[in-house]
Amino acid sequence: MRLRLAAEIMTAIGFVLLAEWIFARATGALQAPTVIAMMLGAVFAAISGLGLSMCSRARDQAVTLLILPLPLLATLAMGLALHVRLLSLASMAVVMAIGAYCRRFGPRGVNGGVLAFMGAFLGFFIQDYVPLPEFGWLAAETGLAVAVVFAVHFAFFFPRPGAAVRAMQRSYAARTRDVAREMTEVFTETVRGGADERAERRLHRRLLRLNEAALLIDSRLDAPGAVPPGWNAAALHQRLFDAETNLSDVARLAAAIASRGLPWQATDPVRRALTGIRDAFFAQVIDSAATIRALLEDPRAPRLGPDDRVLLHRFAMSVTEFSSAFRDFRTYPDGCPPDEVLREAAPARVPLRGARRRGRRRAARLAAREQLEALAGLVSRCVDRLADSRSRTGSDRELRAAARRADLAYQSLISVVRPMRTPLFGGPARRVAGCTATASAARHYARNLLLDASTRYDDLPPGAIADLKAAHAQFADSVAAITAALRSDGAGEDGTGEYVRSASLFARIADCLRDPEITSRPQLALRDLQLLDGAFASAARWAGLPVTDLDTAQK
């Protein structure tokens, strides 16, 4: 996708430079150096190419291409008219501020603001060569650049959403194989000789790239013709989501199992399952998962602790669900309804958001607050699902949408925090590293909760449902205290906020359930909520809030 965009921009720039050179030589326009016409056309071609990439529909791209020259020409005329140096420099500052404000109006506002500044900038520097009465020639050259970019884009790079989605599917499958190969190597090395931090960081980067590929595919599914024949957008989104979520869980659980020093009877089927995922031999994956389940049920098997049993049970469940989801993702289904039938069920187009350039510290606080709010929204929907399996707010569609919002917020947080880690040492570096680790742990726990809460099982007793809602209300109030602290300029400095832990409330519900088995889905979901509460408590400490344990009343 990036290669295609770069190729389109470079091709457009080349054709525009040639067309502007021919036009200037043939007409003798401006009686000024030909390089001015070529420079103006190249600037427009480069920026408009980025603007076209932000629109998925051909009609929107055509409208964008016709609108973008207007701010460029307006500020270009202003720059030619202002011959007072101080006024010219002041006008560029004003145009830059207006362009930054226009970012709130979407892709057209972003690119229009950039072109407006470039017009003021070029007008200031070429006013000695081009008088204002010859502005018409500059407008003609800009119009020629628009025509050339229009022709190049729709002749050689016409938007084909279906082909783009298929290419992204191939990229997603390739990244899946990279993740599988990396996590197999990490597991084997950890079991044999201890953890390798560099390999673990490399695996984490590959998982982030896999998540980016899934989000990019999701963002294209609402374009007409984007979904391959025989698919529908809702089915493709669901299988993509299931495959990516379960593979991330497989990688994390495999790393946890490798570090616990379990006997070979437990690690060998895990290794064979990872090898099967790497080689796309899913029959071996299913057999390995069955071996793990048999080990957990065999009374003669080596003794395993409660946490070991939970990890192995989750691993077997995740590899089985990944095998099914990824196999379906690669295979065109039969008998699916056409796209129009489930058009409303298709995921909304949500573009990836980068860091907001409002200062490093402020951008990090904003990204952390959005991440916590997205995770809190996901937890709220999972709790609704636990309390009532027929809840509309806890439906499969709502759960997947909430999970995707959490993924987007996490990607945004990482894009902000990652550049801050390199030049920092001492206390600031520890705070940044601690915040990143807390966000990653909370995201993993939330994904576990999503899988455990989305499974159908018997309804909880009425008393347990009431206690669950009360515990969630306490959890939501505590999260609101963190987000309020991050929203203010001085986190936790006024002393009015406080994070009250709710883990003991969730543990009390787990003790009262009819099914005490720790690997049952309700028990696992409640355990996820307790772990999430611990992660959010760590986030509260990083935000400067005091933390109170509800069961001990100690801070």
Side-chain angles (χ1 to χ4, degrees):
M1 184 176 176
R2 296 186 182 95
L3 179 62
R4 184 179 184 276
L5 175 60
E8 178 179 354
I9 292 176
M10 295 306 299
T11 303
I13 290 175
F15 277 102
V16 166
L17 290 175
L18 178 61
E20 297 286 3
W21 181 82
I22 295 174
F23 178 79
R25 289 293 181 132
T27 62
L30 300 176
Q31 301 299 320
T34 307
V35 68
I36 292 179
M38 299 173 66
M39 178 177 61
L40 181 64
V43 167
F44 179 81
I47 298 175
S48 63
L50 295 174
L52 292 177
S53 68
M54 299 180 183
C55 304
S56 59
R57 304 173 191 269
R59 180 178 179 180
D60 295 339
Q61 293 173 347
V63 173
T64 299
L65 198 55
L66 295 175
I67 292 176
L68 287 181
L70 301 180
L72 173 66
L73 293 175
T75 54
L76 182 62
M78 181 187 69
L80 294 176
L82 294 176
H83 289 278
V84 179
R85 182 179 181 85
L86 180 61
L87 291 179
S88 297
L89 293 175
S91 67
M92 281 195 287
V94 172
V95 170
M96 180 183 295
I98 295 175
Y101 177 81
C102 289
R103 293 176 60 186
R104 66 176 56 199
F105 299 112
R108 291 172 184 168
V110 172
N111 292 278
V114 174
L115 283 172
F117 173 75
M118 292 305 301
F121 180 80
L122 292 174
F124 172 74
F125 280 98
I126 68 174
Q127 58 183 221
D128 293 337
Y129 301 95
V130 183
L132 185 61
E134 294 188 0
F135 173 74
W137 284 114
L138 293 177
E141 289 165 350
T142 304
L144 177 62
V146 172
V148 173
V149 173
F150 195 100
V152 169
H153 178 70
F154 287 100
F156 302 110
F157 299 94
F158 185 79
R160 297 177 177 83
V165 170
R166 287 192 293 272
M168 290 180 187
Q169 284 183 279
R170 292 192 294 271
S171 175
Y172 178 85
R175 293 188 181 193
T176 299
R177 290 191 293 271
D178 291 340
V179 170
R181 180 172 59 253
E182 194 69 41
M183 68 183 180
T184 303
E185 294 176 359
V186 169
F187 181 83
T188 303
E189 293 175 1
T190 304
V191 170
R192 290 178 178 176
D196 185 351
E197 292 186 1
R198 288 181 299 177
E200 291 179 357
R201 288 195 297 268
R202 191 164 58 246
L203 175 60
H204 181 66
R205 288 194 298 269
R206 292 191 183 277
L207 287 171
L208 282 178
R209 287 196 287 268
L210 179 69
N211 184 246
E212 288 176 355
L215 292 173
L216 284 172
I217 296 176
D218 271 349
S219 69
R220 297 283 178 172
L221 291 183
D222 67 331
V227 182
W231 286 83
N232 64 76
L236 180 57
H237 165 70
Q238 179 179 355
R239 293 174 184 181
L240 171 70
F241 177 81
D242 292 342
E244 190 262 331
T245 301
N246 283 290
L247 184 61
S248 299
D249 284 342
V250 168
R252 182 176 55 83
L253 293 168
I257 292 171
S259 63
R260 298 188 68 86
L262 300 181
W264 68 268
Q265 293 92 335
T267 58
D268 187 64
V270 172
R271 180 188 56 78
R272 287 190 286 108
L274 296 176
T275 304
I277 294 175
R278 181 195 63 189
D279 301 334
F281 186 23
F282 294 115
Q284 177 176 321
V285 176
I286 301 299
D287 291 342
S288 301
T291 303
I292 294 174
R293 293 192 184 95
L295 176 68
L296 295 176
E297 297 174 359
D298 188 359
R300 297 171 297 177
R303 186 174 181 82
L304 300 171
D307 291 341
D308 300 332
R309 294 177 60 83
V310 170
L311 288 173
L312 290 171
H313 174 79
R314 285 190 185 279
F315 180 86
M317 181 176 59
S318 296
V319 295
T320 302
E321 293 179 356
F322 167 77
S323 300
S324 176
F326 191 70
R327 187 165 45 200
D328 292 340
F329 175 74
R330 298 191 308 170
T331 306
Y332 279 26
D334 296 326
C336 282
D339 296 346
E340 289 77 9
V341 174
L342 291 179
R343 179 65 63 189
E344 295 182 357
R349 177 180 174 82
V350 183
L352 286 174
R353 298 174 295 176
R356 303 187 180 185
R357 301 184 182 275
R358 300 181 181 178
R360 284 187 174 185
R361 184 182 176 189
R362 186 177 180 185
R365 290 161 61 84
L366 177 62
R369 176 167 59 85
E370 291 180 348
Q371 165 73 354
L372 293 176
E373 290 175 345
L375 289 175
L378 176 57
V379 171
S380 177
R381 281 159 177 76
C382 290
V383 170
D384 290 342
R385 179 64 168 267
L386 285 170
D388 183 5
S389 60
R390 294 169 293 279
S391 171
R392 293 185 60 183
T393 57
S395 64
D396 291 340
R397 179 184 176 188
E398 291 292 335
L399 289 175
R400 289 196 300 271
R404 277 302 183 229
R405 285 192 291 270
D407 286 342
L408 285 169
Y410 181 75
Q411 291 283 354
S412 178
L413 176 64
I414 293 301
S415 68
V416 174
V417 173
R418 182 180 293 165
M420 297 175 61
R421 293 188 301 181
T422 303
L424 297 180
F425 300 93
R430 287 193 297 271
R431 285 195 294 271
V432 171
C435 177
T436 305
T438 300
S440 178
R443 177 171 175 260
H444 289 318
Y445 298 148
R447 285 193 160 208
N448 280 343
L449 176 62
L450 171 70
L451 294 176
D452 294 330
S454 60
T455 303
R456 302 290 180 182
Y457 43 76
D458 295 337
D459 292 339
L460 299 178
I465 294 176
D467 293 341
L468 179 63
K469 292 181 178 179
H472 175 253
Q474 177 60 65
F475 177 80
D477 291 342
S478 298
V479 175
I482 305 178
T483 56
L486 292 174
R487 188 177 290 109
S488 62
D489 292 334
E493 292 179 359
D494 55 358
T496 59
E498 182 182 21
Y499 186 92
V500 180
R501 297 200 57 180
S502 53
S504 60
L505 300 178
F506 293 119
R508 190 180 307 165
I509 300 171
D511 294 338
C512 297
L513 291 183
R514 290 189 294 264
D515 188 359
E517 177 59 37
I518 60 173
T519 56
S520 65
R521 284 304 179 95
Q523 291 283 358
L524 291 175
L526 291 169
R527 187 174 186 270
D528 298 331
L529 288 169
Q530 297 174 55
L531 294 174
L532 267 169
D533 176 69
F536 275 78
S538 297
R541 294 187 180 95
W542 290 116
L545 287 180
V547 178
T548 299
D549 291 330
L550 192 61
D551 51 353
T552 62
Q554 294 179 355
K555 295 185 178 181

